[in-house]
Amino acid sequence: MTDNRIRKIVIVGGGTAGWMAAATFARILGPEYAGVTLIESDEIGIVGVGEATIPQMATFNRMLGVDENAFMRATQGSFKLGIQFVNWGRQGHTYFHPFGKYGVDMQGVSFHAYFLRLHQLGEAPDLDEWSLQAKAGQQGKFMRAIDAGRSPLSDIAYAFHFDAGLYARFLRGYSEERGVIRREGRIVDVKLRGEDGFVQSVVMEDGTEVEGDLFVDCSGFRGLIIEQALKAGFTDWSHWLPCDRAIAVPCESVEEWTPYTRSTAHKAGWQWRIPLQHRTGNGHVFCSQYMSDDEATGILLANLDGKLLADPRTVPFRTGHRNKLWIKNCVAMGLAGGFIEPLESTAIWLIQSGISRFLTMFPDKHFNQADVDRYNRIMTTDYEEIRDFIILHYHATERDDSPFWDYCRNMEIPERLAEKMRVFRSHGRAFRENEELFNDTSWFAVMHGQLMGARSFDPVAEVMSLDETRSRLAHIREAIANSADYMPKHRDYIRENCAA
Ligand SMILES: Cc1cc2nc3c(=O)[nH]c(=O)nc-3n(C[C@H](O)[C@H](O)[C@H](O)COP(=O)(O)OP(=O)(O)OC[C@H]3O[C@@H](n4cnc5c(N)ncnc54)[C@H](O)[C@@H]3O)c2cc1C
């Protein structure tokens, strides 16, 4: 009997993608099933940004069996309850996109419908009052959920901010302990097999070759195997998401570690602010067609909390994805597979989903084409659904103070998104489509937050009398306010549980 099992996995790249893949293979498959070699070049280094996540990250930690407090300590992490968007719908306007849900659905009708009914009567001006994450976030409070019956404290959705370099190091330790072999050095060539074009080996600068059955390309934007050797091609979305550069810089952290990411829109892009224990990460994502590097750097440096800790660094990028993320015996993950700008912190999740979907279709040496096709189709859908959600932030705006915003406001958008916007504008309905990452709460938060305005509310909200609606919403608001009051300060919670 021939052994068709994958025995040798070669991961090219030791950034977040490479080490997340290595850690997962080590954990799930183990060294007896397949040996894993990871190659990275210290000279090339990692992209070194990518420090805000979404709640699914906790599932990844659990899958690895990693203690969350140990992970927080090792990565100088902080907690994240959502994203605060400043100047997006219009200048001077702020909203919060929280994790978790607003209020509670009642009588089979979504909470949003009841809220909009009161909102349109002028009785519920602030949606944040019905989200514990938004309320606590704005008060600088945080704790993990506790067993508190029907209290909002029983269900607190959160994610993490962490130092990307420290995270790669943390996962490296985890992976090496479980048998992953790390090789340092630069790959200078990729050899393909003559008979079928499968990848045979990668060639190191010193001339040695590393052979494998399966190659995982985590080499970053360059796509060393998937693009340079296998010519996957690229689907470019820069006409919908025109930002193509970022300037990143860390600064000293301030006393208050806000438990949320802040995203502030500027003239031709936006600025992130990610508080960590030892520093605050900042960056200005912008469109080079409308702004120079110098201007973008100037705006960034004028909007920092504290003293610079390093020189500003430019990161050019291209929005879109490889036409195929899995070709023959190579699958691309992370930036090698594609990139959608970091507005909703989705890139690390795309790595996570790429790895877990790949494991459900894990190949043998025959590399069944039906699995490959299915993987490519599903991953492409993941990218497209996130793309639409991000476009929404740019397109649904009243901003008309720069050519960049004029372009975004007036551009043609994908039909799927256009339909979602039409549906919202009529009765304020927001839906999660199929298995898409962002649920109805997220769509509602951003559509409402971007000041889209629905003409009416969902007529089914009238299943409840107006008085009953007022009383129930007041009750929920009070429960959330009390819960937020009860929570400790974010900084105190970290000090007590996971200080680095
Ligand atoms: C501006 C910006 C902000 C971002 N913010 C977020 C965020 O907040 N949240 C989020 O989820 N994601 C974010 N991302 C995305 C996130 O940074 C990446 O998804 C993540 O870091 C994974 O990167 P990577 O491992 O794919 O690539 P890299 O970190 O670039 O790693 C590539 C690896 O390949 C190796 N390599 C390359 N070529 C060779 C060679 N020839 N020989 C040997 N080794 C080689 C390098 O040494 C390196 O180890 C952001 C991205 C950008 C650009």
Side-chain angles (χ1 to χ4, degrees), residues 12-19 38-54 164 185-188 204 218-222 224 245-248 272 274 285 315-317 333-336 338-342 344-349 351:
V12 172
T16 301
W19 284 116
L38 182 145
I39 305 171
E40 64 176 322
S41 155
D42 289 343
E43 186 195 327
I44 296 173
I46 65 171
V47 70
V49 279
E51 311 204 311
T53 61
I54 55 176
R186 186 189 269 262
I187 296 165
V188 290
M204 309 294 297
C218 299
S219 63
F221 287 120
R222 53 184 65 72
L224 194 70
R245 287 173 96 69
I247 312 278
W272 78 74
I274 297 176
V285 174
V315 188
F317 60 81
M333 299 201 176
L335 301 173
F339 182 57
I340 298 174
E341 60 154 276
E344 287 280 357
S345 321
T346 44
I348 294 171
W349 179 80
I351 301 171

Side-chain angles (χ1 to χ4, degrees), residues 81 128-129 131-143 146 151-153 156 476-490 492:
L81 292 168
D128 293 347
E129 308 252 319
S131 157
L132 177 57
Q133 284 76 355
K135 197 89 187 135
Q138 284 153 10
Q139 293 176 16
K141 303 270 192 86
F142 179 81
M143 66 187 248
I146 53 172
S151 156
L153 293 169
I156 302 175
I476 298 169
R477 183 176 53 202
E478 196 186 325
I480 286 175
N482 290 341
S483 300
D485 283 348
Y486 176 84
M487 289 166 75
K489 281 287 191 190
H490 180 216
D492 293 339

Side-chain angles (χ1 to χ4, degrees), residues 27-67:
R27 168 78 176 182
I28 303 286
L29 303 176
E32 274 81 52
Y33 185 97
V36 179
T37 302
L38 182 145
I39 305 171
E40 64 176 322
S41 155
D42 289 343
E43 186 195 327
I44 296 173
I46 65 171
V47 70
V49 279
E51 311 204 311
T53 61
I54 55 176
Q56 285 78 352
M57 183 84 199
T59 313
F60 185 74
N61 282 338
R62 276 196 298 275
M63 182 276 295
L64 292 184
V66 156
D67 173 66

Side-chain angles (χ1 to χ4, degrees), residues 312-348:
R313 205 157 56 82
T314 305
V315 188
F317 60 81
R318 190 170 167 211
T319 298
H321 64 92
R322 304 279 173 223
N323 294 339
K324 293 201 164 77
L325 288 105
W326 182 354
I327 300 176
K328 299 180 194 281
N329 62 339
C330 169
V331 62
M333 299 201 176
L335 301 173
F339 182 57
I340 298 174
E341 60 154 276
L343 189 57
E344 287 280 357
S345 321
T346 44
I348 294 171

Side-chain angles (χ1 to χ4, degrees), residues 1 53 79 108 121 152 158 175 206 216 246 257 300 371 396 423 457:
M1 286 261 294
T53 61
F79 293 98
L121 290 170
Y158 63 90
S175 305
D206 63 9
V216 186
W257 296 332
L300 177 64
D371 291 331
V423 167
F457 60 88

